[in-house]
Amino acid sequence: MTEPVLVVIFLRGGADGLHLICPSADTDLIAARAPDLRVARKGDKAGFVLQDQAADVDFRFHPQAKGLSELFGAGELAVVHAAGLTDGTRSHFDAEDKMERASAVSTTGGWLGRWLANQEPDGPLPALAVGDSAPESLRGGGGVPVAGALDDLILPAGHELSHMIGQSMMDGFAAHPLIGPQISKLVGLSGLLSDRLTDPDTGERPNYRPDVKYPKGPLAQSLQTIAHALKLDLGLRIATADYGGWDTHINQAGDFAKRTRHLSQALMAFWRDLGDRREHVTVVVMSEFGRRLRSNTAGGTDHGYGNAMMIVGGNVKGGQMLGAWPGLQNEALAQGADLAITTDYRQVLAEVLRTHMKTPDLSPIFPDFADDPLGLFA
């Protein structure tokens, strides 16, 4: 495996970036939120300090984000705070749609789909959406496989007639001008995976055996599937995984801590599991929007604008917070309520595609956006 790989983790629901990577000494934040909706600086629940900060407000990772803090400290994770949609909306549907299309003028799919259509990467599995459905970002990418585990891509998984069914599909549709190429890819991938995953002595397909222990949970399961595909050298270049449940209007503190712990532990396990393959992989963690500065009366936070993005990679210039911090004073807030956005999220995506994915011409992917590198990569 030598070609660069991009993994996109989307935190569905609007994760609270001010709680995940918190300006803990900011007096406006302290005045606006109860103690359990911000990160403490002292005591048993103190957060992990970011040594390189965008402003003098003592940014700290949430106390359940130990793995993220360790990746940051090891120089493998960078943070871009106050990032997001510059034409934001507080609607989940609209914000996800805008963010995954990543263009106000293009009608030809999502940003990852346009990259796949433009670059046409080789290999039996150039892209994979882990889960029940493909995100809009992959639309237009030419029939990206969707699966919770690689076994799901074998036709039909575990059935003794699978070879006959595959041959029948080829006999019936391989020459079809529209769906023939997709059928050929589907049957070819199924046969390849069946050969790679089946024990020749027992005829069984053992579960993936990672090199490290993952936590139990949905994101960890998704990331194991991606790690499995990378270790099988299937030509994977783009992978997506969703992690939902971040819409914390009520009693945010406890649920947010659980999800943050799982995100942190799962991402750290994935990163260690890749071993030397880390050199070729970049992971982007993003969400459709952040939460409002001021907490609500139900112990939660409502839909906001600015958020934090995280970028993990073997060639990422980590251990630094990039972008301008606008502050949380009333006059600095967007519409008097939200963290203002100083970095268009496409700036991060464009730099990842141009530098890590070695895509010199981004005009087909972001036709209405001129990138200006932040300095994410060494």
PDB file of all heavy atoms in Angstrom, residues 10 12 85 91-103 109-110 136-137 139 288 345:
ATOM      1  N   PHE A  10     -17.638  11.555   9.839  1.00  0.00           N
ATOM      2  CA  PHE A  10     -18.613  12.646   9.965  1.00  0.00           C
ATOM      3  C   PHE A  10     -19.400  12.441  11.255  1.00  0.00           C
ATOM      4  O   PHE A  10     -20.067  11.425  11.441  1.00  0.00           O
ATOM      5  CB  PHE A  10     -19.561  12.653   8.765  1.00  0.00           C
ATOM      6  CG  PHE A  10     -20.169  13.998   8.485  1.00  0.00           C
ATOM      7  CD1 PHE A  10     -19.770  14.744   7.393  1.00  0.00           C
ATOM      8  CD2 PHE A  10     -21.124  14.535   9.330  1.00  0.00           C
ATOM      9  CE1 PHE A  10     -20.331  15.999   7.137  1.00  0.00           C
ATOM     10  CE2 PHE A  10     -21.683  15.775   9.083  1.00  0.00           C
ATOM     11  CZ  PHE A  10     -21.289  16.517   7.984  1.00  0.00           C
ATOM     12  N   ARG A  12     -22.444  13.117  12.926  1.00  0.00           N
ATOM     13  CA  ARG A  12     -23.788  13.579  12.557  1.00  0.00           C
ATOM     14  C   ARG A  12     -24.546  14.116  13.780  1.00  0.00           C
ATOM     15  O   ARG A  12     -24.531  13.498  14.851  1.00  0.00           O
ATOM     16  CB  ARG A  12     -24.596  12.430  11.958  1.00  0.00           C
ATOM     17  CG  ARG A  12     -23.955  11.750  10.765  1.00  0.00           C
ATOM     18  CD  ARG A  12     -24.201  12.493   9.481  1.00  0.00           C
ATOM     19  NE  ARG A  12     -23.393  11.915   8.392  1.00  0.00           N
ATOM     20  CZ  ARG A  12     -23.326  12.419   7.175  1.00  0.00           C
ATOM     21  NH1 ARG A  12     -24.023  13.505   6.882  1.00  0.00           N
ATOM     22  NH2 ARG A  12     -22.570  11.864   6.254  1.00  0.00           N
ATOM     23  N   LEU A  85     -19.280  26.039   7.544  1.00  0.00           N
ATOM     24  CA  LEU A  85     -19.949  26.625   6.390  1.00  0.00           C
ATOM     25  C   LEU A  85     -19.996  28.135   6.522  1.00  0.00           C
ATOM     26  O   LEU A  85     -20.483  28.661   7.522  1.00  0.00           O
ATOM     27  CB  LEU A  85     -21.383  26.105   6.294  1.00  0.00           C
ATOM     28  CG  LEU A  85     -21.618  24.690   5.763  1.00  0.00           C
ATOM     29  CD1 LEU A  85     -23.024  24.236   6.152  1.00  0.00           C
ATOM     30  CD2 LEU A  85     -21.437  24.636   4.255  1.00  0.00           C
ATOM     31  N   SER A  91     -30.243  24.081  10.113  1.00  0.00           N
ATOM     32  CA  SER A  91     -30.944  22.848   9.741  1.00  0.00           C
ATOM     33  C   SER A  91     -29.920  21.737   9.511  1.00  0.00           C
ATOM     34  O   SER A  91     -28.989  21.901   8.711  1.00  0.00           O
ATOM     35  CB  SER A  91     -31.756  23.071   8.463  1.00  0.00           C
ATOM     36  OG  SER A  91     -32.047  21.837   7.839  1.00  0.00           O
ATOM     37  N   HIS A  92     -30.106  20.605  10.195  1.00  0.00           N
ATOM     38  CA  HIS A  92     -29.187  19.483   9.972  1.00  0.00           C
ATOM     39  C   HIS A  92     -29.157  19.095   8.498  1.00  0.00           C
ATOM     40  O   HIS A  92     -28.092  18.916   7.904  1.00  0.00           O
ATOM     41  CB  HIS A  92     -29.617  18.252  10.787  1.00  0.00           C
ATOM     42  CG  HIS A  92     -29.507  18.410  12.255  1.00  0.00           C
ATOM     43  ND1 HIS A  92     -28.293  18.506  12.896  1.00  0.00           N
ATOM     44  CD2 HIS A  92     -30.455  18.489  13.218  1.00  0.00           C
ATOM     45  CE1 HIS A  92     -28.496  18.628  14.202  1.00  0.00           C
ATOM     46  NE2 HIS A  92     -29.800  18.632  14.416  1.00  0.00           N
ATOM     47  N   PHE A  93     -30.351  18.918   7.917  1.00  0.00           N
ATOM     48  CA  PHE A  93     -30.442  18.447   6.537  1.00  0.00           C
ATOM     49  C   PHE A  93     -29.738  19.406   5.593  1.00  0.00           C
ATOM     50  O   PHE A  93     -28.921  19.008   4.752  1.00  0.00           O
ATOM     51  CB  PHE A  93     -31.914  18.282   6.141  1.00  0.00           C
ATOM     52  CG  PHE A  93     -32.109  17.875   4.715  1.00  0.00           C
ATOM     53  CD1 PHE A  93     -31.998  16.538   4.335  1.00  0.00           C
ATOM     54  CD2 PHE A  93     -32.389  18.829   3.745  1.00  0.00           C
ATOM     55  CE1 PHE A  93     -32.163  16.164   3.011  1.00  0.00           C
ATOM     56  CE2 PHE A  93     -32.554  18.457   2.417  1.00  0.00           C
ATOM     57  CZ  PHE A  93     -32.453  17.124   2.046  1.00  0.00           C
ATOM     58  N   ASP A  94     -30.051  20.698   5.724  1.00  0.00           N
ATOM     59  CA  ASP A  94     -29.461  21.676   4.802  1.00  0.00           C
ATOM     60  C   ASP A  94     -27.947  21.791   5.000  1.00  0.00           C
ATOM     61  O   ASP A  94     -27.192  21.900   4.030  1.00  0.00           O
ATOM     62  CB  ASP A  94     -30.120  23.046   4.999  1.00  0.00           C
ATOM     63  CG  ASP A  94     -31.553  23.064   4.498  1.00  0.00           C
ATOM     64  OD1 ASP A  94     -31.921  22.157   3.729  1.00  0.00           O
ATOM     65  OD2 ASP A  94     -32.301  23.976   4.901  1.00  0.00           O
ATOM     66  N   ALA A  95     -27.518  21.787   6.254  1.00  0.00           N
ATOM     67  CA  ALA A  95     -26.088  21.937   6.521  1.00  0.00           C
ATOM     68  C   ALA A  95     -25.302  20.730   6.005  1.00  0.00           C
ATOM     69  O   ALA A  95     -24.237  20.883   5.401  1.00  0.00           O
ATOM     70  CB  ALA A  95     -25.852  22.113   8.023  1.00  0.00           C
ATOM     71  N   GLU A  96     -25.810  19.521   6.245  1.00  0.00           N
ATOM     72  CA  GLU A  96     -25.113  18.325   5.744  1.00  0.00           C
ATOM     73  C   GLU A  96     -25.085  18.330   4.220  1.00  0.00           C
ATOM     74  O   GLU A  96     -24.068  17.989   3.602  1.00  0.00           O
ATOM     75  CB  GLU A  96     -25.790  17.062   6.271  1.00  0.00           C
ATOM     76  CG  GLU A  96     -25.587  16.842   7.761  1.00  0.00           C
ATOM     77  CD  GLU A  96     -26.276  15.583   8.249  1.00  0.00           C
ATOM     78  OE1 GLU A  96     -26.889  14.869   7.423  1.00  0.00           O
ATOM     79  OE2 GLU A  96     -26.222  15.313   9.464  1.00  0.00           O
ATOM     80  N   ASP A  97     -26.204  18.712   3.616  1.00  0.00           N
ATOM     81  CA  ASP A  97     -26.270  18.730   2.155  1.00  0.00           C
ATOM     82  C   ASP A  97     -25.267  19.726   1.583  1.00  0.00           C
ATOM     83  O   ASP A  97     -24.511  19.407   0.658  1.00  0.00           O
ATOM     84  CB  ASP A  97     -27.691  19.081   1.718  1.00  0.00           C
ATOM     85  CG  ASP A  97     -27.844  19.044   0.210  1.00  0.00           C
ATOM     86  OD1 ASP A  97     -27.678  17.960  -0.369  1.00  0.00           O
ATOM     87  OD2 ASP A  97     -28.114  20.106  -0.384  1.00  0.00           O
ATOM     88  N   LYS A  98     -25.238  20.929   2.147  1.00  0.00           N
ATOM     89  CA  LYS A  98     -24.288  21.931   1.662  1.00  0.00           C
ATOM     90  C   LYS A  98     -22.854  21.483   1.856  1.00  0.00           C
ATOM     91  O   LYS A  98     -21.999  21.617   0.981  1.00  0.00           O
ATOM     92  CB  LYS A  98     -24.511  23.253   2.403  1.00  0.00           C
ATOM     93  CG  LYS A  98     -25.724  24.039   1.967  1.00  0.00           C
ATOM     94  CD  LYS A  98     -25.756  25.376   2.705  1.00  0.00           C
ATOM     95  CE  LYS A  98     -26.894  26.245   2.205  1.00  0.00           C
ATOM     96  NZ  LYS A  98     -26.882  27.574   2.849  1.00  0.00           N
ATOM     97  N   MET A  99     -22.589  20.944   3.035  1.00  0.00           N
ATOM     98  CA  MET A  99     -21.208  20.576   3.362  1.00  0.00           C
ATOM     99  C   MET A  99     -20.728  19.409   2.503  1.00  0.00           C
ATOM    100  O   MET A  99     -19.571  19.365   2.095  1.00  0.00           O
ATOM    101  CB  MET A  99     -21.127  20.244   4.852  1.00  0.00           C
ATOM    102  CG  MET A  99     -19.715  20.078   5.374  1.00  0.00           C
ATOM    103  SD  MET A  99     -19.646  20.097   7.174  1.00  0.00           S
ATOM    104  CE  MET A  99     -19.407  21.839   7.493  1.00  0.00           C
ATOM    105  N   GLU A 100     -21.612  18.468   2.203  1.00  0.00           N
ATOM    106  CA  GLU A 100     -21.178  17.292   1.455  1.00  0.00           C
ATOM    107  C   GLU A 100     -21.142  17.559  -0.051  1.00  0.00           C
ATOM    108  O   GLU A 100     -20.373  16.936  -0.764  1.00  0.00           O
ATOM    109  CB  GLU A 100     -22.067  16.105   1.803  1.00  0.00           C
ATOM    110  CG  GLU A 100     -21.890  15.742   3.282  1.00  0.00           C
ATOM    111  CD  GLU A 100     -22.505  14.414   3.667  1.00  0.00           C
ATOM    112  OE1 GLU A 100     -23.732  14.270   3.501  1.00  0.00           O
ATOM    113  OE2 GLU A 100     -21.777  13.545   4.147  1.00  0.00           O
ATOM    114  N   ARG A 101     -21.952  18.492  -0.514  1.00  0.00           N
ATOM    115  CA  ARG A 101     -21.809  18.899  -1.914  1.00  0.00           C
ATOM    116  C   ARG A 101     -20.584  19.793  -2.064  1.00  0.00           C
ATOM    117  O   ARG A 101     -19.880  19.730  -3.064  1.00  0.00           O
ATOM    118  CB  ARG A 101     -23.055  19.631  -2.394  1.00  0.00           C
ATOM    119  CG  ARG A 101     -24.180  18.687  -2.810  1.00  0.00           C
ATOM    120  CD  ARG A 101     -25.292  19.380  -3.561  1.00  0.00           C
ATOM    121  NE  ARG A 101     -26.039  20.307  -2.740  1.00  0.00           N
ATOM    122  CZ  ARG A 101     -26.063  21.606  -2.914  1.00  0.00           C
ATOM    123  NH1 ARG A 101     -25.373  22.153  -3.903  1.00  0.00           N
ATOM    124  NH2 ARG A 101     -26.769  22.388  -2.115  1.00  0.00           N
ATOM    125  N   ALA A 102     -20.349  20.654  -1.091  1.00  0.00           N
ATOM    126  CA  ALA A 102     -19.161  21.511  -1.046  1.00  0.00           C
ATOM    127  C   ALA A 102     -19.049  22.416  -2.263  1.00  0.00           C
ATOM    128  O   ALA A 102     -17.947  22.771  -2.680  1.00  0.00           O
ATOM    129  CB  ALA A 102     -17.892  20.671  -0.881  1.00  0.00           C
ATOM    130  N   SER A 103     -20.159  22.760  -2.835  1.00  0.00           N
ATOM    131  CA  SER A 103     -20.158  23.695  -3.959  1.00  0.00           C
ATOM    132  C   SER A 103     -21.547  24.265  -4.120  1.00  0.00           C
ATOM    133  O   SER A 103     -22.536  23.526  -4.086  1.00  0.00           O
ATOM    134  CB  SER A 103     -19.729  22.984  -5.245  1.00  0.00           C
ATOM    135  OG  SER A 103     -19.930  23.845  -6.352  1.00  0.00           O
ATOM    136  N   GLY A 109     -22.987  15.850  -7.927  1.00  0.00           N
ATOM    137  CA  GLY A 109     -22.596  15.007  -6.813  1.00  0.00           C
ATOM    138  C   GLY A 109     -21.855  15.720  -5.706  1.00  0.00           C
ATOM    139  O   GLY A 109     -21.788  16.954  -5.637  1.00  0.00           O
ATOM    140  N   GLY A 110     -21.294  14.893  -4.801  1.00  0.00           N
ATOM    141  CA  GLY A 110     -20.573  15.408  -3.652  1.00  0.00           C
ATOM    142  C   GLY A 110     -19.092  15.575  -3.942  1.00  0.00           C
ATOM    143  O   GLY A 110     -18.593  15.165  -4.991  1.00  0.00           O
ATOM    144  N   GLU A 136     -23.854  11.726   1.071  1.00  0.00           N
ATOM    145  CA  GLU A 136     -23.987  12.553  -0.130  1.00  0.00           C
ATOM    146  C   GLU A 136     -22.621  12.966  -0.688  1.00  0.00           C
ATOM    147  O   GLU A 136     -22.502  13.229  -1.877  1.00  0.00           O
ATOM    148  CB  GLU A 136     -24.811  13.794   0.193  1.00  0.00           C
ATOM    149  CG  GLU A 136     -26.315  13.543   0.206  1.00  0.00           C
ATOM    150  CD  GLU A 136     -26.840  13.124  -1.154  1.00  0.00           C
ATOM    151  OE1 GLU A 136     -26.753  13.921  -2.099  1.00  0.00           O
ATOM    152  OE2 GLU A 136     -27.314  11.967  -1.264  1.00  0.00           O
ATOM    153  N   SER A 137     -21.632  13.033   0.139  1.00  0.00           N
ATOM    154  CA  SER A 137     -20.307  13.428  -0.344  1.00  0.00           C
ATOM    155  C   SER A 137     -19.785  12.475  -1.404  1.00  0.00           C
ATOM    156  O   SER A 137     -18.965  12.852  -2.241  1.00  0.00           O
ATOM    157  CB  SER A 137     -19.321  13.506   0.819  1.00  0.00           C
ATOM    158  OG  SER A 137     -19.230  12.264   1.490  1.00  0.00           O
ATOM    159  N   ARG A 139     -21.734  10.891  -3.637  1.00  0.00           N
ATOM    160  CA  ARG A 139     -22.641  10.801  -4.786  1.00  0.00           C
ATOM    161  C   ARG A 139     -21.911  11.257  -6.056  1.00  0.00           C
ATOM    162  O   ARG A 139     -21.210  12.256  -6.061  1.00  0.00           O
ATOM    163  CB  ARG A 139     -23.879  11.662  -4.552  1.00  0.00           C
ATOM    164  CG  ARG A 139     -24.947  11.485  -5.612  1.00  0.00           C
ATOM    165  CD  ARG A 139     -26.293  11.977  -5.087  1.00  0.00           C
ATOM    166  NE  ARG A 139     -26.255  13.372  -4.687  1.00  0.00           N
ATOM    167  CZ  ARG A 139     -26.437  14.387  -5.522  1.00  0.00           C
ATOM    168  NH1 ARG A 139     -26.674  14.164  -6.798  1.00  0.00           N
ATOM    169  NH2 ARG A 139     -26.386  15.630  -5.079  1.00  0.00           N
ATOM    170  N   GLU A 288     -21.542  18.872  10.823  1.00  0.00           N
ATOM    171  CA  GLU A 288     -22.216  19.845   9.963  1.00  0.00           C
ATOM    172  C   GLU A 288     -22.240  21.255  10.552  1.00  0.00           C
ATOM    173  O   GLU A 288     -22.304  22.223   9.816  1.00  0.00           O
ATOM    174  CB  GLU A 288     -23.635  19.390   9.609  1.00  0.00           C
ATOM    175  CG  GLU A 288     -24.635  19.355  10.761  1.00  0.00           C
ATOM    176  CD  GLU A 288     -24.732  17.972  11.368  1.00  0.00           C
ATOM    177  OE1 GLU A 288     -23.698  17.287  11.437  1.00  0.00           O
ATOM    178  OE2 GLU A 288     -25.848  17.574  11.777  1.00  0.00           O
ATOM    179  N   TYR A 345     -14.598  25.483   5.797  1.00  0.00           N
ATOM    180  CA  TYR A 345     -14.213  24.073   5.964  1.00  0.00           C
ATOM    181  C   TYR A 345     -13.592  23.494   4.693  1.00  0.00           C
ATOM    182  O   TYR A 345     -12.778  22.565   4.746  1.00  0.00           O
ATOM    183  CB  TYR A 345     -15.444  23.229   6.356  1.00  0.00           C
ATOM    184  CG  TYR A 345     -16.384  22.961   5.215  1.00  0.00           C
ATOM    185  CD1 TYR A 345     -16.409  21.722   4.598  1.00  0.00           C
ATOM    186  CD2 TYR A 345     -17.219  23.951   4.715  1.00  0.00           C
ATOM    187  CE1 TYR A 345     -17.240  21.468   3.521  1.00  0.00           C
ATOM    188  CE2 TYR A 345     -18.049  23.711   3.639  1.00  0.00           C
ATOM    189  CZ  TYR A 345     -18.058  22.476   3.049  1.00  0.00           C
ATOM    190  OH  TYR A 345     -18.868  22.229   1.980  1.00  0.00           O
TER     191      TYR A 345
END
